[in-house]
Amino acid sequence: MSLQLGVIGTGAIGQDHIRRCSQTLQGSRVVAVTDIDRQQAARVVDDLQLQAEVHADGHALIRSPQVQAVLVTSWGPSHEEFVLAAIAAGKPVFCEKPLAVTAEGCRRIVEAELAHGKRLVQVGFMRPYDAGYQALKAVVDSGRIGTPLMLHCAHRNPRVGPNYKTDMAITDTLIHELDVLRWLLDDDYVSVQVLFPRVSSKAHGQLRDPQIVLLETARGVRIDVEIFVNCQYGYDIQCEVVGESGIARLPEPPQVQLRSAANLSSAILMDWKERFIAAYDVELQAFIDAVAAGQVGGPSAWDGLAAAVAADACIQAQQSGAIVPVHLPPRPAFYG
Ligand code: NAI
Ligand code: ISE
């Protein structure tokens, strides 16, 4: 029996997830879609030759008896209402990052899930499913580099569109590091600071790019993350863990090494879709399998909240230049 999915938001990642759920992964089919651009939703149904109903809005889709589980891939500000509606309907929901655009919104989702009494929410933080991050975590956990002391990270995009604002470097981009580094270190953040180097002339209008975010964890690990969203040359994700007796680096995605014309080179990917293609497959397959087994797992609403609390502090730190404390309440036993 295939899990019958409804997808809210048929833009870039919505189309990608629809394609993978209906063509690549096992055990699911997309039976319903919706988008505020209804024509686009209908076009996606045609292009991907889906047997899917185009619903008037996300709430109608969630109510549909055909829909057994929901994927939320619409714009961030709409996530909270759809996730809450899915929980109210008792339907499992995979929500793309961010879970909600504020910590308050994430908190409401956590409370609704706690009141429901069973996990229904998986957040689309795909990096913990990436083979490179998993290998890095295995080394860190093995103790081979000793206790982690510092992390040096970078999140670089070749360029961003005109609607990308300075705070989106946190809510849209850094949010991945805020999640995956907690997972990697099994630790929580206690303070943040944001520094602005000289602005790149390639950044449009009012965008302050690049930025450096400094994070401190409860165990005293210091992390620097460079966010540079107009780096021009490629989509480049770096993570180096400095331990007491060694250093571990996130592996580069596998590429052919070329010796040619007096050069030794290997290509750099240009976009996130390619860089994390396998991780997106694995996270969604995990969601489908978990729903089939009656138990949602993976990055939880609590992880969504933890990232959002740190993101809120980073936004304050962007504005004030000060070191801002991060106050995450104690984790309920429900979230393990
Ligand atoms: P997009 O702009 O290409 O697509 C979003 C779609 O949602 C649009 O078609 C829009 O019309 C639709 N939409 C907006 N509000 C809606 C509503 N209330 N009801 C129904 N449809 C609505 O954006 P993109 O890049 O696909 O991003 C969507 C979400 O996925 C964002 O939250 C983004 O942060 C996340 N994302 C996650 C990535 C990852 O690496 N995990 C990568 C890219 C995006
Ligand atoms: C985008 O929304 C993503 O989630 C990508 O993974 C990230 O690298 C990019 O900066 C975001 O805009």
Side-chain angles (χ1 to χ4, degrees):
M1 251 286 282
S2 274
L3 178 69
Q4 295 177 186
L5 296 171
V7 181
I8 303 174
T10 56
I13 204 156
Q15 290 178 33
D16 234 39
H17 285 349
I18 292 171
R19 180 199 48 72
R20 55 172 49 90
C21 289
S22 42
Q23 296 175 5
T24 308
L25 307 182
Q26 303 293 314
S28 72
R29 64 198 172 95
V30 176
V31 298
V33 298
T34 187
D35 196 289
I36 45 173
D37 180 348
R38 207 173 165 161
Q39 285 180 342
Q40 177 190 256
R43 220 169 25 245
V44 170
V45 169
D46 281 350
D47 289 351
L48 294 174
Q49 298 179 330
L50 303 174
Q51 307 249 296
E53 187 174 345
V54 179
H55 285 268
D57 61 44
H59 294 284
L61 177 143
I62 291 166
R63 276 195 306 272
S64 165
Q66 300 306 311
V67 171
Q68 297 170 321
V70 181
L71 304 192
V72 178
T73 50
S74 48
W75 292 325
S78 64
H79 291 182
E80 181 186 346
E81 84 173 89
F82 295 133
V83 174
L84 287 173
I87 295 172
K91 295 191 180 180
V93 53
F94 173 95
C95 179
E96 257 313 330
K97 44 69 52 171
L99 176 59
V101 286
T102 61
E104 266 320 300
C106 293
R107 211 165 271 131
R108 284 188 282 272
I109 291 172
V110 162
E111 279 162 13
E113 195 178 41
L114 283 171
H116 176 77
K118 191 170 172 221
R119 266 198 67 183
L120 289 176
V121 181
Q122 178 177 330
V123 182
F125 286 132
M126 74 296 182
R127 290 203 195 170
Y129 294 95
D130 174 67
Y133 274 106
Q134 289 189 348
L136 181 60
K137 184 165 173 58
V139 168
V140 171
D141 289 352
S142 74
R144 281 173 60 199
I145 61 163
T147 302
L149 308 173
M150 296 177 278
L151 269 64
H152 306 299
C153 308
H155 187 151
R156 304 192 186 111
N157 293 63
R159 59 194 56 82
V160 289
N163 295 328
Y164 190 101
K165 305 282 186 302
T166 300
D167 60 347
M168 288 171 67
I170 306 297
T171 55
D172 199 51
T173 299
L174 178 78
I175 197 88
H176 286 293
E177 271 77 16
L178 291 176
D179 176 67
V180 79
L181 302 181
R182 270 182 80 235
W183 167 85
L184 183 65
L185 294 171
D186 197 14
D187 206 349
D188 276 312
Y189 308 116
V190 293
S191 77
V192 301
Q193 187 180 13
V194 180
L195 306 176
F196 290 98
R198 184 175 180 179
V199 174
S200 164
S201 64
K202 310 285 186 193
H204 66 74
Q206 301 303 306
L207 179 60
R208 296 177 77 183
D209 182 45
Q211 306 179 28
I212 300 167
V213 178
L214 303 175
L215 303 156
E216 182 189 4
T217 74
R219 294 203 187 102
V221 179
R222 295 285 183 163
I223 303 170
D224 53 272
V225 187
E226 170 204 313
I227 313 159
F228 187 11
V229 294
N230 289 282
C231 80
Q232 310 292 303
Y233 71 87
Y235 182 73
D236 195 7
I237 303 299
Q238 299 291 325
C239 179
E240 180 179 271
V241 183
V242 180
E244 283 177 318
S245 52
I247 289 175
R249 282 189 77 96
L250 181 69
E252 294 290 338
Q255 292 292 330
V256 170
Q257 217 182 52
L258 192 62
R259 285 173 160 79
S260 163
N263 264 290
L264 175 60
S265 62
S266 58
I268 294 179
L269 296 174
M270 286 305 282
D271 87 33
W272 45 265
K273 278 188 197 164
E274 278 181 275
R275 171 66 180 82
F276 288 110
I277 190 164
Y280 295 119
D281 285 353
V282 180
E283 69 167 355
L284 274 170
Q285 188 67 64
F287 176 72
I288 293 163
D289 294 347
V291 173
Q295 186 62 60
V296 173
S300 66
W302 184 260
D303 296 320
L305 170 64
V309 168
D312 280 4
C314 289
I315 302 287
Q316 270 185 49
Q318 277 185 330
Q319 289 156 4
S320 67
I323 297 173
V324 175
V326 178
H327 297 295
L328 184 65
R331 176 166 34 192
F334 178 87
Y335 289 108

